[in-house]
Amino acid sequence: MAIQSVAIIGAGMAGITCASKLLMDIPEVVVFEQYAKAGGRMASVRFGDYQCDIGTQYFTAGSEEFRDHLEAWEEDSLIDRWNGWLVELQDGQAMSRDDEVVRYVGRPDMGAVVQHLAEMCDVRYNTGIQELIRTKGTGLGKS
């Protein structure tokens, strides 16, 4: 019997990526998110006129497949390349560090990419999960 539905807890990058991939093969995929918007560790908050990324400062791409997505996101203005100043602390001194790694940031904030991907998913916001109960005869594996 083919899987007909999947529930995913958390609308961060991992949850939303998983949901969008599963949508290709499973009729019903629902993501439950306790907060009012997607983001997880890529979330941002506003304090009056100020915005703060509260998790990931930037991200990189290790695979060619992911770099292909980044090109499209750059064209859609979801991300920009980040050319920040990198430092390493050595014996209490801040030393500049240069490398060839391309780093990216979300636009207008880090959560923008996750929120964009979440638009194609069935996400139930403001829904915290308090308990999971497995009922005999359901789910994967032995009953």
Side-chain angles (χ1 to χ4, degrees), residues 51-97:
Q51 168 207 307
C52 177
D53 292 322
I54 58 174
T56 304
Q57 297 121 354
Y58 63 82
F59 60 94
T60 61
S63 73
E64 191 64 39
E65 182 180 11
F66 189 46
R67 280 191 287 276
D68 290 343
H69 285 287
L70 296 184
E71 287 178 21
W73 293 347
E74 269 187 293
E75 290 174 13
D76 292 342
S77 297
L78 283 173
I79 62 170
D80 271 328
R81 291 175 186 234
W82 182 71
N83 300 310
W85 177 40
L86 296 176
V87 298
E88 288 182 6
L89 293 177
Q90 295 178 358
D91 298 322
Q93 298 293 318
M95 310 294 286
S96 290
R97 186 182 83 176

Side-chain angles (χ1 to χ4, degrees), residues 88-133:
E88 288 182 6
L89 293 177
Q90 295 178 358
D91 298 322
Q93 298 293 318
M95 310 294 286
S96 290
R97 186 182 83 176
D98 293 322
D99 58 28
E100 301 299 317
V101 176
V102 179
R103 292 169 177 81
Y104 299 89
V105 293
R107 287 185 58 192
D109 57 43
M110 288 301 286
V113 173
V114 181
Q115 291 160 21
H116 171 75
L117 294 172
E119 291 173 4
M120 70 177 102
C121 301
D122 181 0
V123 183
R124 311 284 170 86
Y125 294 104
N126 298 308
T127 306
I129 303 299
Q130 302 301 314
E131 182 178 19
L132 295 175
I133 301 172

Side-chain angles (χ1 to χ4, degrees), residues 41-52:
R41 291 185 180 168
M42 292 178 74
S44 298
V45 294
R46 293 193 89 52
F47 301 100
D49 294 337
Y50 300 96
Q51 168 207 307
C52 177

